[in-house]
Amino acid sequence: MNAPHSAKVAGIDSTVPSPAHTVASAAPGTCPAAPQSATYTADTAETADTANVTDRPGTPCAPGALLQDRLAGWVSDLTTLHELTERLVRTDSLADGLQELLRAGAVLVGARRGLVTLEPADGLGPDTTVGLGLARADLGHIETVPRDALPHGRILDGLPVGEGGLAEPDLFAEKLLDPRHREVAARLGYAASYALPLSAESSASTGAAGSTGDNERAERTARLGAAVWFYDEPAEPDARQRHLAGLYTRYAAPHLARLLEVERTRASMATLAEELLPSRLPRVPGVQLAARHRTGPRGGGDWYDALPLPDAALGLAVGSVTGAGPSAVAAMGRLRASLRAYAVMEGEDPVAVLSDLELLLRLTEPARSATALFGYCEPALRRITLAGAGHSPPLLIGQRRTEYAETSVSAPLGMLACWEAPSVEVQAEPGETVLLYTDGLLHRTGGPADRAFARLHAAAAGVPRAARQDPDAVAEHVLRTVLPDGRAEADSEEDVVLLAVRFD
């Protein structure tokens, strides 16, 4: 009679090795030890053993109890993997994703510290190293070890690695261990390591059906980097820990690859936006200039400009194009270039400059609108003639006053059949600063408009007296005060632009 087959359970991979608690043989008619499961803690990577006190080794075992125990182990492992991958997919930045990978891997392999080195095979970056339980100085010490002496370094150099990863169970027992590696391991207090590669399927085409061989399949596997975990004592993960860690990294790699592409897109959009803005501000007698620009993750359409004009004058502009992404950045570049041309031709009349810009926008970008503020600055007279289209009023910051300049109410460009609004003159005193800004500064506060304006006014009024002599210090103080707790640098859909003009 043939032996009965084990029942198939949905979601269970029959190739998964037996759980650790069933590997040890049990005496006939007795139950093995109760299953152990890894419990994940969100704040710290640690394992906690849980045992069923009713099932003890040596107690009589009912028929099928061994199979039930094995199934319970598989379910426990699948539940752990599910929880860890769920936490990973909720990360929305590359830095958070790498940290979550390290924490989850430490849980699965029973380690306390580790690092992941991101080094995409396409060479496009970003190349970075993130540590878990390792300070920046510790990472620096590890980087002094020759690359081929480190397990993750050998992986990055293309050393073939099986599904089991690269384990070094006792570093100090290895006679061929690199002396520098031995020194660093002793300094940092780790005695063993376990490393795994991070690879994801590339987006290259697979070619004709049936013509793809093993080499081509290997080429389509794009290396992202490598992760390594460190043990304080000689140790190595067992077969099941290796299997679970391998499964997790295979699940994690595609998500990290997507986060990598998002990070690259953000960097590209920020670079493109910066390249479309002035590389440096002009030096004009009688005024000092400073600017701040923060780009959103998708790339926005906020801009600023300052260009010398005839008769020792200066053209000042800030503005914003609706939308986000590459198209908005491109539209911003076109609009800014056009405004520069109009400013050179008729800059002494800001209303005419914005009227021409509105006509161009309506003809070439009919689906967009834009806000803009253009000022014709005469440094010798400490005077700025302003025209605004749906834009927030500038702010005057001096020793005796901090107030918004009164500007006429007007619609954004592209909203009306024919835009027109009167200009206003802003007369500054010696030592005063005129602050131009885009609405993103107000929107990024997350509060109502009136509160945002009040916060901006309070931040400007609170600029230290010594800092008011430097427009760069004024802009920095206002930005950090209006957007505290890192919100000036944090990702936001809103761009932020500040242009500070201080009169001597």
Side-chain angles (χ1 to χ4, degrees):
M1 181 180 295
N2 295 330
H5 294 287
S6 299
K8 293 184 179 180
V9 180
I12 301 298
D13 184 359
S14 60
T15 63
V16 176
S18 300
H21 56 272
T22 63
V23 172
S25 60
T30 61
C31 286
Q36 296 177 341
S37 61
T39 301
Y40 183 62
T41 304
D43 298 329
T44 59
E46 59 182 6
T47 58
D49 293 336
T50 59
N52 184 351
V53 297
T54 61
D55 295 333
R56 299 184 183 277
T59 59
C61 189
L66 183 62
L67 177 60
Q68 292 178 2
D69 179 71
R70 182 174 299 178
L71 289 175
W74 282 335
V75 171
S76 174
D77 291 339
L78 290 173
T79 301
T80 300
L81 282 177
H82 174 74
E83 292 175 353
L84 295 178
T85 52
E86 281 290 306
R87 288 189 58 85
L88 179 69
V89 298
R90 285 197 291 268
T91 59
D92 56 4
S93 70
L94 185 60
D96 291 342
L98 294 176
Q99 282 289 344
E100 186 60 34
L101 170 78
L102 286 175
R103 294 190 188 100
V107 169
L108 295 174
V109 303
R112 187 173 63 89
R113 293 178 292 176
L115 65 85
V116 57
T117 297
L118 196 68
E119 192 175 295
D122 57 15
L124 300 179
D127 295 348
T128 185
T129 298
V130 177
L132 172 68
L134 296 170
R136 185 181 299 272
D138 298 335
L139 296 177
H141 287 307
I142 294 174
E143 289 177 354
T144 64
V145 180
R147 184 180 174 107
D148 59 359
L150 295 167
H152 62 287
R154 296 195 292 272
I155 291 175
L156 295 174
D157 287 340
L159 180 69
V161 180
E163 293 185 358
L166 286 180
E168 293 179 328
D170 192 348
L171 290 172
F172 299 106
E174 295 187 14
K175 297 181 180 179
L176 300 180
L177 185 67
D178 183 272
R180 180 58 184 164
H181 192 188
R182 187 185 304 274
E183 178 184 345
V184 170
R187 177 190 292 266
L188 301 184
Y190 65 86
S193 66
Y194 176 66
L196 281 172
L198 296 176
S199 300
E201 291 295 322
S202 69
S203 58
S205 60
T206 58
S211 64
T212 304
D214 293 339
N215 292 336
E216 292 178 353
R217 282 194 294 270
E219 290 176 359
R220 293 199 305 274
T221 301
R223 185 200 71 207
L224 299 178
V228 59
W229 291 271
F230 301 111
Y231 298 90
D232 296 340
E233 303 291 340
E236 65 176 314
D238 58 29
R240 189 155 194 83
Q241 288 176 319
R242 294 188 186 211
H243 182 80
L244 291 176
L247 283 176
Y248 178 79
T249 54
R250 286 200 294 274
Y251 297 151
H255 179 69
L256 293 177
R258 288 190 289 271
L259 294 179
L260 176 64
E261 289 302 319
V262 172
E263 187 71 20
R264 287 176 173 177
T265 301
R266 291 178 178 177
S268 298
M269 294 306 303
T271 301
L272 177 60
E274 292 295 335
E275 290 297 324
L276 291 174
L277 295 175
S279 57
R280 61 182 180 86
L281 294 172
R283 294 184 178 181
V284 177
V287 294
Q288 302 175 50
L289 303 174
R292 290 291 184 274
H293 180 227
R294 299 291 184 268
T295 304
R298 297 175 55 199
D302 287 19
W303 87 88
Y304 68 93
D305 207 350
L307 67 157
L309 296 176
D311 301 326
L314 184 66
L316 305 170
V318 293
S320 176
V321 175
T322 56
S327 61
V329 174
M332 177 269 286
R334 293 190 293 268
L335 209 62
R336 172 179 170 266
S338 301
L339 186 144
R340 291 173 69 92
Y342 297 144
V344 170
M345 292 186 295
E346 48 192 1
E348 67 279 359
D349 186 356
V351 173
V353 171
L354 292 189
S355 295
D356 292 342
L357 193 65
E358 195 273 339
L359 178 60
L360 177 72
L361 182 69
R362 189 152 41 87
L363 293 176
T364 61
E365 307 276 352
R368 292 190 185 277
S369 62
T371 63
L373 185 69
F374 178 75
Y376 181 75
C377 177
E378 300 170 275
L381 302 176
R382 296 189 299 276
R383 182 173 63 195
I384 302 178
T385 304
L386 290 169
H391 211 279
S392 300
L395 189 60
L396 278 75
I397 307 171
Q399 298 291 349
R400 297 182 179 85
R401 62 173 176 170
T402 300
E403 60 187 28
Y404 289 103
E406 293 186 6
T407 57
S408 58
V409 179
S410 60
L413 302 177
M415 297 293 290
L416 302 177
C418 181
W419 176 89
E420 187 172 355
S423 62
V424 296
E425 287 188 357
V426 175
Q427 186 68 49
E429 300 296 331
E432 288 190 330
T433 298
V434 178
L435 185 67
L436 312 179
Y437 53 93
T438 58
D439 293 342
L441 178 65
L442 306 174
H443 295 163
R444 197 177 276 207
T445 64
D450 56 344
R451 292 185 182 179
F453 276 114
R455 178 181 294 182
L456 175 58
H457 185 276
V463 176
R465 288 187 175 274
R468 299 191 181 200
Q469 306 301 318
D470 181 6
D472 194 77
V474 171
E476 186 68 18
H477 177 87
V478 170
L479 180 64
R480 301 298 175 182
T481 305
V482 175
L483 302 175
D485 302 326
R487 279 185 290 172
E489 305 293 343
D491 289 341
S492 171
E493 295 298 323
E494 299 289 343
D495 284 11
V496 174
V497 162
L498 287 88
L499 179 61
V501 184
R502 182 184 183 276
F503 291 91
D504 296 337

